[in-house]
Amino acid sequence: MVIYLLSIMPSTWQGNYLSIYTHCKTGMLPLKYLYQGPRRSGPGRQKTYDSKVAPLERQLKYFTLTETLDDGTELWTAVVWSVSLDRRIRVVCLVRLVEGKERYILLFSTDVNLSARDILAYYRARFQIEFIFRDARQYTGMVDSQSRNLDALDALVNGSLTALNLAKVTLRQEATVTAQPTPEVISFSIASFKRKALNEHLLELFIAMFDLDPTLIKLNPNYQKLLEYGSLKA
C-alpha cells in the first residue's frame, strides 16, 4: 500500500511536503546499493548502482553502524536506491541477537537526511498516532460527517481531535490530584472516560430532579463507585 501511494503521489509532494517512515519486509521493496567505487575514464555512462541489498545475509556492504541501543540492538544505516519507488531512500537495519541468532528489522524513510535514531523514533511513535485516530473515529465523531466540503471536514477533524486531547488533559489532571506515583504514565481509556462523564451527568440529573443535597451525596464514598460504574479497569 505504501509503495502504491508513493508511486501515484506527485514528486513535488514527496520532495517538499511528505516523508514516509515505515517497516520494510525483505524482498517486497527491491533495493540496490549506490555505486561508490572509482569512476572510469572515457565516454559512456558511469556505473550508478552496485549489488542488491541483502541485509538478512549480513551483506551490509555500504551500511554504517551508527550506535548500539541499551538492549544490544545495533543500528545500521545507508542511503540506497529503491527500484519500486524510483528514488533514493534511507534504510535502517536493526540487528539484534536473539537466542544465539541474529534477527533483522528493516525500516526506511524517503527523507535521506534523517539519522537512524530519528527514523526509529518516528516509527515507534506511529503506534500512538494510530491510537489517537482509532479513538477519534470510535468515540469523538471523526467519521460521522457525510459532508464533502473541505472546510466542514477540516472543522470536524480538528474538533474531534481537540475533544480527545481535552479528555487526556482531564485524566492527567485527575491523576495528579489523586497523587498517583507516576502521573506522566496513566492508563487512558476514552471509553471509560465517556462512561464516567455519562454517569456523572445522570447523577447530577437525579440530584436535581429529586431535590437532594448534592454535598452529602458527593461526600459519600459510594459516589465515586457510581461514577466508575461500567468503566474499564486497567
Side-chain angles (χ1 to χ4, degrees), residues 141-154 156-157:
M142 175 179 281
V143 294
D144 290 350
S145 175
Q146 297 182 2
S147 174
R148 296 184 179 181
N149 183 275
L150 293 179
D151 292 336
L153 292 175
D154 182 73
L156 173 70
V157 172

Side-chain angles (χ1 to χ4, degrees), residues 5 34 56 96 104 109 124 128 143 148 155 160-161 165 199 202 204 212 232-233:
L5 290 176
L34 298 174
L56 294 185
R96 185 178 183 184
Y104 303 86
S109 171
R124 286 175 171 174
Q128 294 300 323
V143 294
R148 296 184 179 181
S160 175
L161 295 177
N165 288 333
N199 291 342
L202 289 176
E204 294 286 352
L212 302 176
L232 302 175
K233 299 298 182 182

Side-chain angles (χ1 to χ4, degrees), residues 15-31:
N16 299 327
Y17 302 104
L18 182 63
S19 296
I20 302 298
Y21 315 93
T22 187
H23 173 262
C24 171
K25 291 186 178 180
T26 305
M28 294 185 63
L29 192 66
L31 305 174

